[in-house]
Amino acid sequence: MESGCSKKLLDLIPQEKKWGFIENQNGISHGSSEEKKLELKLGPPGEEDEPLVSFGYFSSMKSNAKQAHNKFPPAQEDHRGGAVLTASWAKNHHHQPKPPNCSQKRTAPGPVVGWPPIRSFRKNLATTSKLASESPTSLPHKVAIERKPAAPETRGKGLFVKINMEGVPIGRKVDLKSYDSYEKLSTAVDELFRGLLAAQRDPSADGPKQEEEKVITGVLDGNGEYTLVYEDNEGDRMLVGDVPWHMFVSTVKRLRVLKSSELSVINLGSSKKGKMVQN
Amino acid sequence: MSEQMSDDDERQQSPPSDLDFTSNKARTCIVTGSVSGHTEFQSPYPDQVLENVLENVLHFLTSRRDRNTASLVCKSWYRVEALTRSELFIGNCYAVSPARATARFTRVRALHLKGRPRFADFNLMPPDWGAHFNPWVLAFAKACPWLEKVYLKRMSVTDDDLATLAESFLGFKELVLVCCDGFGTSGLSIFVSKCRQLKVLDLIESEVSDDETDWILCFPEGESHLESLIFDCVEYPINFEALERLVARSPSLKKLKLNRYVSIGQLYRLMVQAPQLTHLGTGSFSPSEIAGQGDQEPDYVTAFAACKSLVCLSGFREIIPDYLPAIYPICANLTSLNFSYANITAEQLKPIISNCHKLQVFWVLDSICDEGLQAVAATCKELRELRVFPVDAREDSDGPVSEIGFQAISEGCRKLQSILYFCQRMTNAAVIAMSRNCPDLVVFRLCIMGRHRPDHVTGEPMDDGFGAIVMNCKKLTRLAVSGLLTDKAFDYIGRYGKLVRTLSVAFAGDSDMALKYVLEGCPQLQKLEIRDSPFGDAALCSGLHHYYNMRFLWMSSCRLTYQGCQQIARAMPRLVVEVIRSADEEEMDVCVQTLYMYRSLEGPRNDAPKFVTIL
């Protein structure tokens, strides 16, 4: 899972609902409250994002939502609403619910693990069936349906692979289908982890940052502080960049961003170019 | 397919299946051990007669609910019931240890075990969490050598376990593995070669690794007792010639479900050998590339027509719709049809479905669109169970089915008992209509794939729709909710869902009140699985009165803290409270990623991996 605390998407949406509820606590019923109509926003607060689902009548809600966003305290506890709501029946309980003090994590729009709840062997149906109907004689295109939980998930057309960076406890996921080259993947690594890495180095940063966020470069050529490594379908660790991109995509199971200085210690698998050609 | 279709076997028993293990009376009995029967209860001759009579009578009790009740009458009944129980069902393999189970039930013939929680199927739990079959097979091998049948769901089974099964139980007859993993073709090879009395080998939605062993060839020569062979989940080619010979020498074979590596031409050859089949999984339902274009196509229609007993049809893993007309002869007899791998259109479906008057179970892809569902509603008046799966399982994909098809089904299929429906948009009106048109609903699972999506016509939350379901469907025991839901929906569930045993919640609710309503309002609640909903420690505390009556509670990506979970663990010593984090996270956070807790007589398990912390 990407974050320890589910604090991405979940933070924003229920919070907005709570704000709506509090504001209308006097007399306005649940169903008819305008604020109840949910504005689905998937970016961090204050950003101009397209709603995930755009219904016509939501456009009028946008101005309301923007207001809510500005009220929303970005870097603080996300439980103010929760605290207000639970206060009433918290009286009945001996212990005060202490809201988890989880710092705001960067929200990434996009698919969520395990949603919709379809088992992995039921996915990829569009590809297998379509291939069968297009070319009846080409059965060898049987797509091997990946069912191991640790392996990349292919939802529809995406190929999601876990990526972890040394020193950062939170892992991320990347959709390899949305890149077509190693350079783009390398840029993505920088985008995904730059902020997190900076937060790790200076966790007390609140307000003006004492240390600038350092750009993560050189992950492919061994010159940077970090190097990109992957685990293939045989469980071996390999340096990223040796084989053509499409071959890499077909065998990669997991990505890791490791400190270049530690690389000699890590047991990297031997180059398996020969085997991959058989794919 | 019946095992696959009705995973709500809880219907057979309303109090939890292992209630007898946790009730006080039984607890005392167990704590004193199986010896209690002898040392504390000297039986003079007249009571011996009574026990013999009792034994003969209790043999006839099959329902495990009845048996649980009978065992609570008195020690004598407890002992006799234990001796006469031949089918042992354990809904959570960690609720009781193999030793305890074998000590009490010494004459078990059939063992039914369930392991991982259901949300593990959706990658919400790292692999290798547990649920190992190994300690069970070893314990039973020693204590119950006359075990004949094993049914496992969501458990890890190794090749060694399969070997042990085959070697320790001489008369072993049936093995059914549903959503299991950990074994491969080499384990299967050993198993089939040694089980000479094997009648049933059903591998359903399980992960089988390819050890490149020809397990079909390992079936012993000579006449086979096989009645059911299901391997549609095996993702590797099999030895077809060996399979053909096996089918030819299995006169009792009734159920055969092939995997997608069997072509339609090969299917034909098998059907010709086995026209007595009642359940058929057709494999790929497309030709292999070896069949040349000029070759004469076999007469598939005649082959199907010859299968006069065929009532359950599935497969179609790589369907070429041109071949669909082959099944016309048997449509009128079908009670169960699974098209959930067949990406077909409404036009392709209509000629088939218009003949399926007796159909009771129908699984299909949403590629048939609302129009296809309307066709189903027009013909299938006997429909009991419908499952509509998405071809494109993403939140923002086009939705070919909607409230239109849903409402049509409700109007046409009044006897509907179970529905699983994936869609992108829904309305309260359609759900309310179904609640009124289909009062026999026992299972209602609606998955609006976009998170927090409201009624797409009114913009309202989906509260009223689900509210109507719990209000009007008085037999409802299983419910899965989705879409935009406020606390109100849960208020309805708590108020009206008095028979609800299983509840699945995702991205729903506004506050702790929602969970509180459910925990306080649903006395029959046994299985509660929640993800990504804003419920915190206070809500968790509101269920303390009920957790011992439940099989499990799962909460992931909610607002629980370690402290909150610790509180529960301290308050309830017979609960095992597991906090699970992602496999690659080393740090413990204040927030709990996943809570999985369940009642158990054994305390914390000793096989927990390092990403699990038991409080």
Side-chain angles (χ1 to χ4, degrees):
Chain A
M1 303 280 283
E2 288 189 53
S3 75
C5 279
S6 73
K7 293 298 164 248
K8 302 180 182 195
L9 185 60
L10 189 58
D11 294 342
L12 298 176
I13 293 171
Q15 283 310 305
E16 288 175 73
K17 286 195 260 186
K18 285 190 175 99
W19 281 113
F21 183 76
I22 293 159
E23 283 163 345
N24 293 303
Q25 220 157 16
N26 307 317
I28 301 176
S29 64
H30 279 260
S32 57
S33 157
E34 296 247 312
E35 274 76 14
K36 273 293 185 184
K37 286 180 187 153
L38 193 66
E39 166 74 12
L40 298 172
K41 277 273 211 224
L42 293 174
E47 255 184 46
E48 191 100 32
D49 265 346
E50 284 292 310
L52 177 61
V53 181
S54 43
F55 296 111
Y57 52 82
F58 271 154
S59 50
S60 60
M61 297 289 113
K62 265 190 183 161
S63 49
N64 285 346
K66 281 227 173 69
Q67 272 183 314
H69 271 166
N70 293 334
K71 289 180 201 167
F72 189 81
Q76 285 179 357
E77 287 179 12
D78 49 4
H79 276 82
R80 284 219 247 141
V84 171
L85 278 180
T86 53
S88 56
W89 66 276
K91 285 185 252 168
N92 304 327
H93 294 259
H94 297 292
H95 101 106
Q96 277 294 340
K98 223 201 294 184
N101 183 10
C102 307
S103 56
Q104 185 68 30
K105 306 254 193 317
R106 186 153 56 107
T107 34
V112 161
V113 175
W115 188 262
I118 301 277
R119 295 196 188 115
S120 43
F121 59 81
R122 282 201 180 279
K123 299 184 180 178
N124 302 327
L125 288 172
T127 24
T128 45
S129 311
K130 197 158 166 274
L131 277 170
S133 56
E134 277 175 0
S135 46
T137 55
S138 59
L139 275 178
H141 287 299
K142 291 181 200 298
V143 176
I145 296 172
E146 192 65 59
R147 277 181 288 138
K148 290 200 181 81
E153 297 167 11
T154 39
R155 272 186 224 92
K157 298 181 180 69
L159 178 67
F160 291 92
V161 175
K162 271 191 184 172
I163 176 166
N164 286 79
M165 184 167 207
E166 204 175 341
V168 178
I170 313 295
R172 305 301 305 268
K173 271 200 172 180
V174 282
D175 179 2
L176 288 179
K177 289 260 153 78
S178 53
Y179 313 110
D180 58 6
S181 70
Y182 288 120
E183 285 65 44
K184 291 199 179 141
L185 177 60
S186 168
T187 314
V189 168
D190 173 51
E191 282 167 13
L192 286 171
F193 286 107
R194 198 199 298 179
L196 290 173
L197 195 59
Q200 289 299 115
R201 283 182 177 141
D202 195 0
S204 60
D206 195 5
K209 286 208 177 76
Q210 293 173 331
E211 185 180 333
E212 282 296 321
E213 282 185 343
K214 222 167 129 190
V215 178
I216 302 168
T217 54
V219 292
L220 294 173
D221 54 9
N223 291 334
E225 194 187 344
Y226 290 89
T227 300
L228 193 55
V229 152
Y230 73 103
E231 280 161 29
D232 70 6
N233 51 9
E234 283 157 335
D236 296 314
R237 276 201 183 171
M238 320 282 285
L239 282 171
V240 166
D242 284 340
V243 297
W245 173 258
H246 66 274
M247 267 189 205
F248 163 71
V249 169
S250 67
T251 59
V252 62
K253 292 295 175 247
R254 210 191 194 303
L255 286 162
R256 289 190 196 275
V257 186
L258 303 174
K259 285 224 165 86
S260 304
S261 51
E262 314 257 344
L263 269 187
S264 52
V265 179
I266 295 155
N267 192 13
L268 290 172
S270 58
S271 170
K272 298 249 181 1
K273 280 185 190 158
K275 276 201 185 170
M276 284 178 198
V277 169
Q278 286 174 22
N279 261 2
Chain B
M1 201 161 161
S2 57
E3 293 86 2
Q4 207 175 1
M5 291 290 184
S6 54
D7 51 8
D8 286 276
D9 42 33
E10 271 65 55
R11 254 176 266 178
Q12 286 173 17
Q13 46 92 47
S14 128
S17 63
D18 44 344
L19 175 64
D20 49 336
F21 286 110
T22 53
S23 71
N24 286 326
K25 199 161 191 158
R27 213 178 280 163
T28 358
C29 290
I30 291 169
V31 163
T32 52
S34 59
V35 186
S36 68
H38 297 286
T39 53
E40 293 175 17
F41 198 77
Q42 298 295 339
S43 31
Y45 187 79
D47 286 341
Q48 191 62 55
V49 173
L50 174 66
E51 283 210 7
N52 289 342
V53 170
L54 205 51
E55 193 168 327
N56 286 316
V57 168
L58 287 185
H59 263 302
F60 291 99
L61 269 187
T62 46
S63 145
R64 57 180 189 255
R65 173 193 182 172
D66 291 344
R67 285 191 155 271
N68 291 346
T69 312
S71 71
L72 296 175
V73 169
C74 65
K75 280 185 186 169
S76 180
W77 281 54
Y78 175 89
R79 196 170 54 248
V80 174
E81 190 284 314
L83 286 175
T84 56
R85 190 181 294 223
S86 61
E87 271 196 43
L88 180 59
F89 174 91
I90 295 172
N92 175 2
C93 63
Y94 286 119
V96 65
S97 71
R100 202 186 284 268
T102 52
R104 177 170 168 187
F105 301 106
T106 50
R107 297 189 191 166
V108 165
R109 300 273 165 150
L111 174 63
H112 185 140
L113 273 178
K114 292 191 177 182
R116 289 182 284 274
R118 197 179 71 97
F119 273 8
D121 292 352
F122 313 122
N123 299 352
L124 290 184
M125 191 152 81
D128 304 321
W129 168 82
H132 303 286
F133 181 50
N134 183 260
W136 292 91
V137 71
L138 294 178
F140 273 79
K142 262 192 283 190
C144 300
W146 35 79
L147 189 68
E148 296 178 343
K149 176 174 168 182
V150 166
Y151 178 109
L152 303 178
K153 187 165 187 180
R154 292 198 189 93
M155 297 212 45
S156 288
V157 182
T158 64
D159 291 337
D160 287 336
D161 296 335
L162 291 175
T164 309
L165 261 184
E167 287 156 8
S168 312
F169 305 101
L170 298 176
F172 199 79
K173 296 196 171 66
E174 296 186 24
L175 179 63
V176 177
L177 300 178
V178 180
C179 300
C180 294
D181 63 7
F183 63 101
T185 49
S186 51
L188 286 178
S189 302
I190 304 173
F191 179 77
V192 303
S193 65
K194 300 204 173 175
C195 278
R196 307 241 146 201
Q197 308 297 321
L198 193 65
K199 286 189 182 171
V200 171
L201 176 59
D202 291 350
L203 305 172
I204 298 168
E205 294 181 12
S206 293
E207 196 170 322
V208 182
S209 67
D210 182 19
D211 310 324
E212 287 164 21
T213 328
D214 188 346
W215 59 283
I216 298 282
L217 199 57
C218 290
F219 277 91
E221 288 298 326
E223 186 168 293
S224 133
H225 303 271
L226 264 186
E227 294 174 9
S228 173
L229 179 61
I230 295 178
F231 63 94
D232 53 351
C233 62
V234 173
E235 291 290 314
Y236 309 103
I238 46 107
N239 179 339
F240 178 74
E241 282 67 34
L243 178 65
E244 202 177 4
R245 290 195 300 273
L246 177 62
V247 169
R249 66 178 191 276
S250 304
S252 309
L253 193 66
K254 292 284 191 294
K255 302 186 188 183
L256 179 63
K257 297 198 183 179
L258 309 165
N259 71 3
R260 60 194 180 98
Y261 287 87
V262 178
S263 70
I264 192 168
Q266 291 171 329
L267 169 68
Y268 174 83
R269 283 158 63 178
L270 294 173
M271 287 178 73
V272 160
Q273 297 274 15
Q276 77 281 7
L277 288 176
T278 57
H279 294 58
L280 176 64
T282 64
S284 67
F285 213 70
S286 54
S288 70
E289 58 173 25
I290 301 163
Q293 300 289 6
D295 287 356
Q296 188 104 36
E297 287 263 52
D299 188 355
Y300 298 116
V301 177
T302 306
F304 272 95
C307 294
K308 303 213 182 296
S309 312
L310 207 52
V311 290
C312 171
L313 195 58
S314 62
F316 308 104
R317 301 297 289 253
E318 276 153 17
I319 188 172
I320 304 280
D322 303 340
Y323 290 99
L324 263 182
I327 73 172
Y328 287 164
I330 47 119
C331 288
N333 298 334
L334 283 182
T335 56
S336 171
L337 178 56
N338 182 348
F339 270 155
S340 65
Y341 289 96
N343 193 342
I344 56 174
T345 63
E347 287 315 305
Q348 290 160 342
L349 176 71
K350 280 182 190 171
I352 307 281
I353 209 74
S354 58
N355 291 320
C356 294
H357 300 274
K358 288 193 189 165
L359 207 60
Q360 294 185 19
V361 176
F362 186 48
W363 290 20
V364 72
L365 285 176
D366 63 3
S367 57
I368 62 166
C369 303
D370 287 328
E371 199 188 329
L373 290 172
Q374 286 165 331
V376 174
T379 315
C380 304
K381 302 301 176 189
E382 297 299 315
L383 201 67
R384 302 286 194 270
E385 177 177 328
L386 174 68
R387 293 197 194 191
V388 180
F389 295 96
V391 166
D392 189 2
R394 287 180 305 168
E395 287 186 71
D396 49 358
S397 58
D398 291 331
V401 297
S402 68
E403 76 279 1
I404 295 169
F406 190 82
Q407 182 141 355
I409 291 288
S410 79
E411 287 162 6
C413 309
R414 298 298 175 111
K415 299 186 185 176
L416 202 63
Q417 292 174 2
S418 170
I419 183 162
L420 170 61
Y421 196 85
F422 283 86
C423 58
Q424 293 289 358
R425 56 196 184 284
M426 186 49 61
T427 62
N428 281 307
V431 179
I432 293 169
M434 181 166 284
S435 77
R436 295 207 180 110
N437 292 332
C438 305
D440 291 340
L441 276 175
V442 174
V443 173
F444 186 82
R445 300 160 69 191
L446 175 61
C447 183
I448 303 168
M449 289 192 275
R451 286 166 283 161
H452 306 107
R453 220 166 263 186
D455 177 323
H456 81 97
V457 168
T458 66
E460 300 279 309
M462 293 299 298
D463 298 340
D464 290 341
F466 285 102
I469 291 288
V470 286
M471 259 191 264
N472 299 333
C473 301
K474 312 240 189 281
K475 304 179 191 173
L476 196 78
T477 59
R478 182 169 179 184
L479 179 64
V481 300
S482 61
L484 177 62
L485 294 170
T486 71
D487 290 349
K488 190 158 93 152
F490 297 91
D491 188 9
Y492 286 137
I493 296 171
R495 225 189 281 230
Y496 301 104
K498 294 305 177 188
L499 295 184
V500 170
R501 292 201 288 260
T502 307
L503 179 63
S504 302
V505 178
F507 305 100
D510 297 325
S511 74
D512 287 347
M513 287 310 296
L515 183 52
K516 193 165 186 266
Y517 290 137
V518 168
L519 288 171
E520 289 176 357
C522 300
Q524 297 295 328
L525 193 64
Q526 287 174 40
K527 302 193 277 184
L528 180 55
E529 43 189 30
I530 302 173
R531 63 166 294 182
D532 293 275
S533 299
F535 308 141
D537 300 335
L540 198 61
C541 285
S542 64
L544 284 171
H545 66 285
H546 189 61
Y547 291 138
Y548 280 157
N549 295 332
M550 290 177 64
R551 189 181 295 172
F552 71 80
L553 168 67
W554 166 291
M555 286 177 69
S556 59
S557 302
C558 296
R559 302 207 169 172
L560 303 174
T561 67
Y562 272 94
Q563 272 184 305
C565 298
Q566 279 280 14
Q567 265 208 306
I568 304 290
R570 274 186 216 122
M572 311 201 73
R574 293 276 188 182
L575 267 190
V576 173
V577 178
E578 294 195 11
V579 170
I580 306 168
R581 53 187 181 279
S582 304
D584 44 11
E585 270 176 48
E586 280 105 34
E587 291 188 8
M588 304 249 277
D589 225 333
V590 172
C591 302
V592 160
Q593 170 65 39
T594 300
L595 165 73
Y596 178 56
M597 67 189 204
Y598 49 90
R599 65 184 171 189
S600 173
L601 289 175
E602 312 300 338
R605 58 190 174 109
N606 55 10
D607 62 356
K610 54 181 163 57
F611 53 81
V612 170
T613 307
I614 300 180
L615 300 178

